[in-house]
Amino acid sequence: MRVLVTGAGGQVGRALARVGPAEGAEVIGLGRAALDITDPEAVRAALARVRPDAVVNAAAYTAVDRAEAEPDAAFRVNRDGASVVAEAAAAAAVPLVHLSTDYVFDGTKGAPYRPDDPPSPLNVYGASKAAGEAAVRAAGGRAAVLRTAWVFGGGGEDFVSKILRLAADRDRLTVVADQWGHPTPADDVARAALSAAAWCQAGGRGTLHVGGLPLTTWHGLATVAVAVYGEVGAVPVPPVDPVPTSAFPRAARRPARVELALAGSLERLGWRDAPDWRRAVSLIVGGASQSGAVDDSGTGPLA
């Protein structure tokens, strides 16, 4: 399968380049400088040039707090750009996988969110992503909206990387413990996107959920990451104290608890189980140790 990936410089875009060959996919990644997804002519030209079997739209405006002050910028990429890619893919009869987020929900349901639950975003970022989902569906092509959450391990400024850097420098960490979600390894999101592309090729279309288990808080994720860091590096690690969301005032409101219903989506993807994020944390920190990013001297992860 020949796959065109937009947003190739992001976590999932980089993960697709890593895992694609092992999954039988030839990945052609185009970053922001190579392809502006809000430019219809550029997108159509890229499809004509690459002639892909499927497209994965991983391009997005992801600055959650900044979006509150820049709603036009967020909607231009997350809604208008998604619409451009979806319409071009539909016109070329190419299956599309569009990445979305758990932030399209407000976290007040009190039960797992199903793929067909209506969006109820709390912030501009979530609203722009919900609008992008609607635009993809309206384009009428063979498309899957793939919602995921709390992506980490794709390189760059993900939460786990930040926590490991802080663990190397601070005597104590404080992390929010009243927001619940699915930490999801970037490589597993990439594999899910490729599986979703194959599902669309076989005639599937609709919304899918993928997320890591078990459900946890940011504090829970940080606690595991710091503990593994200490074990791998054989260094003392700081305690991780739980604090409420109110301890870190932010411009954008966050949902308190978004649990995604996964079973039906996993079946459609051909997966037996959801990814265990704890195993991914161990592999990521262990791999960093072997490459020298974490060492026995206590200097910790390198920026």
Side-chain angles (χ1 to χ4, degrees):
M1 182 165 56
R2 185 175 172 87
V3 182
L4 171 62
V5 177
T6 68
Q11 286 199 79
V12 177
R14 291 193 295 268
L16 279 159
R18 281 195 304 272
V19 308
E23 298 294 317
E26 178 189 4
V27 175
I28 297 89
L30 298 178
R32 188 187 319 171
L35 179 63
D36 177 1
I37 66 166
T38 66
D39 183 339
E41 183 176 344
V43 172
R44 288 193 296 267
L47 282 167
R49 182 175 67 255
V50 175
R51 300 178 63 84
D53 300 307
V55 176
V56 176
N57 183 32
Y61 179 110
T62 58
V64 176
D65 289 307
R66 194 165 71 234
E68 297 298 307
E70 298 179 352
D72 290 345
F75 274 88
R76 184 167 60 252
V77 176
N78 293 343
R79 177 195 61 199
D80 302 342
S83 179
V84 167
V85 174
E87 290 177 1
V94 176
L96 168 68
V97 178
H98 173 72
L99 296 184
S100 193
T101 172
D102 61 331
Y103 275 26
V104 300
F105 298 120
D106 62 13
T108 63
K109 183 179 178 182
Y113 283 92
R114 295 167 49 88
D116 58 356
D117 280 334
S120 52
L122 290 176
N123 53 48
V124 169
Y125 167 70
S128 68
K129 292 297 289 183
E133 292 185 3
V136 168
R137 297 184 188 104
R142 287 180 292 162
V145 171
L146 182 64
R147 293 191 186 121
T148 190
W150 297 20
V151 179
F152 71 92
E157 290 298 302
D158 68 279
F159 177 81
V160 171
S161 297
K162 291 178 181 178
I163 285 296
L164 294 177
R165 286 200 295 273
L166 292 174
D169 296 332
R170 297 190 181 180
D171 295 329
R172 198 169 206 94
L173 302 179
T174 55
V175 182
V176 168
D178 56 359
Q179 294 176 28
W180 290 77
H182 295 272
T184 313
D187 284 8
D188 287 299
V189 179
R191 293 186 184 97
L194 295 173
S195 296
W199 178 65
C200 288
Q201 283 184 315
R205 65 176 70 191
T207 303
L208 303 170
H209 287 169
V210 63
L213 289 176
L215 198 75
T216 192
T217 64
W218 293 113
H219 176 264
L221 174 56
T223 299
V224 170
V226 170
V228 173
Y229 165 56
E231 293 170 3
V232 169
V235 294
V237 294
V240 184
D241 296 330
V243 295
T245 297
S246 58
F248 292 101
R250 309 291 289 272
R253 294 172 63 198
R254 266 73 168 173
R257 184 185 181 100
V258 178
E259 181 176 0
L260 300 173
L262 300 175
S265 296
L266 295 176
E267 181 180 353
R268 290 176 174 84
L269 293 171
W271 290 16
R272 186 172 63 183
D273 300 306
D276 186 330
W277 58 264
R278 297 167 299 186
R279 180 175 180 274
V281 168
S282 295
L283 291 172
I284 290 166
V285 179
S289 175
Q290 292 174 8
S291 68
V294 178
D295 61 29
D296 293 341
S297 69
T299 56
L302 302 179

